[in-house]
Amino acid sequence: MKSIVLTLLLLNTAILFGQSAEECYQSARKEWAADNNKSALKWIDKAIAADADREEYYDCKGLILSEQGEFQKAYDAFSMGIAINPKASGIYLNRGNLFLSITQFEDAIADFTQASIVADNDTSKYSAIMNRASAKMQIREFESAYDDLMKCYAFDSTEVGTLTNLGAVCDEIGRGDETLKYLLKAVEVDPNFYAAYGNIGFKYQEMGE
């Protein structure tokens, strides 16, 4: 009986170590999607142990750790991914979002800027610029935020995040007459986008209507 148990244990070990780094990575993503973050973290660590030179593994680990509130470890993971591939726009974007969530706005702006520089497609580029505008708004750099948002608007005039942020920033830079233009367009694009309705209500209230 002991020999049978030993054989089974060895077989299970062989199956475990026989999994490729990519298989472990996919298992991590599956567990993460199911909100099983602890299990996801174990799988991504196995992926990294099997292949330590894949930046997307560190990006995944950083995102999982961010959700767990382990911000320093998340930062370390993102930074390792960037060290492996300094042109990984998505990792700069994710690290920037981490900085944004912990109110380190200057660092967020720096990462979003770099993400926009190394982006390999326009969608990624303008996502980074829009996030940079959000960070600038937090430190009241409204003119610069408006410039960023207008770049995004020129790229895609139907993106509700861009439209809503334009509506918010216009009043801050003496362009209050443009506020409703962007907010009303936001709800035209997405009638269920409740945040824009709130801002529209406040604008009408301000106008005495």
Side-chain angles (χ1 to χ4, degrees):
M1 178 62 72
K2 288 185 180 180
S3 62
I4 294 174
V5 172
L6 179 60
T7 301
L8 289 174
L9 287 174
L10 290 173
L11 179 60
N12 288 336
T13 303
I15 292 171
L16 177 64
F17 287 98
Q19 290 178 303
S20 69
E22 183 62 21
E23 288 171 333
C24 291
Y25 173 57
Q26 294 303 326
S27 293
R29 290 178 60 86
K30 183 178 179 181
E31 291 296 295
W32 181 37
D35 291 327
N36 298 324
N37 286 349
K38 289 185 178 180
S39 177
L41 196 57
K42 289 179 181 178
W43 279 112
I44 201 62
D45 281 338
K46 289 174 183 177
I48 291 170
D51 185 350
D53 296 323
R54 297 280 296 275
E55 71 268 15
E56 62 265 38
Y57 296 172
Y58 296 96
D59 188 36
C60 180
K61 182 173 182 176
L63 290 168
I64 296 167
L65 288 166
S66 294
E67 287 193 1
Q68 291 185 321
E70 298 188 52
F71 300 125
Q72 181 61 53
K73 290 180 180 179
Y75 167 81
D76 293 340
F78 289 137
S79 299
M80 181 63 73
I82 289 169
I84 292 170
N85 181 6
K87 293 185 177 181
S89 175
I91 307 182
Y92 283 110
L93 188 63
N94 288 332
R95 193 174 70 174
N97 285 331
L98 170 65
F99 283 134
L100 199 59
S101 71
I102 59 175
T103 69
Q104 292 185 212
F105 300 119
E106 296 289 354
D107 290 323
I109 290 168
D111 268 359
F112 294 143
T113 298
Q114 191 61 25
S116 72
I117 292 170
V118 301
D120 59 4
N121 61 75
D122 284 343
T123 300
S124 296
K125 175 181 177 179
Y126 288 104
S127 291
I129 292 173
M130 186 173 70
N131 283 17
R132 182 174 69 184
S134 297
K136 288 177 178 179
M137 290 169 68
Q138 294 295 325
I139 56 175
R140 304 189 66 78
E141 290 186 3
F142 296 119
E143 289 284 357
S144 184
Y146 177 81
D147 291 341
D148 276 351
L149 289 168
M150 289 307 295
K151 292 175 185 176
C152 296
Y153 184 74
F155 171 66
D156 181 0
S157 63
T158 64
E159 211 293 315
V160 292
T162 298
L163 292 167
T164 305
N165 282 340
L166 275 169
V169 80
C170 279
D171 279 334
E172 301 288 351
I173 60 171
R175 294 176 177 269
D177 57 321
E178 298 178 25
T179 298
L180 282 176
K181 167 188 171 182
Y182 298 116
L183 293 176
L184 291 172
K185 187 167 183 177
V187 296
E188 178 184 337
V189 172
D190 183 359
N192 296 316
F193 191 60
Y194 71 90
Y197 286 106
N199 289 346
I200 290 168
F202 283 122
K203 184 62 180 177
Y204 279 133
Q205 183 178 13
E206 177 187 295
M207 296 165 62
E209 298 182 20

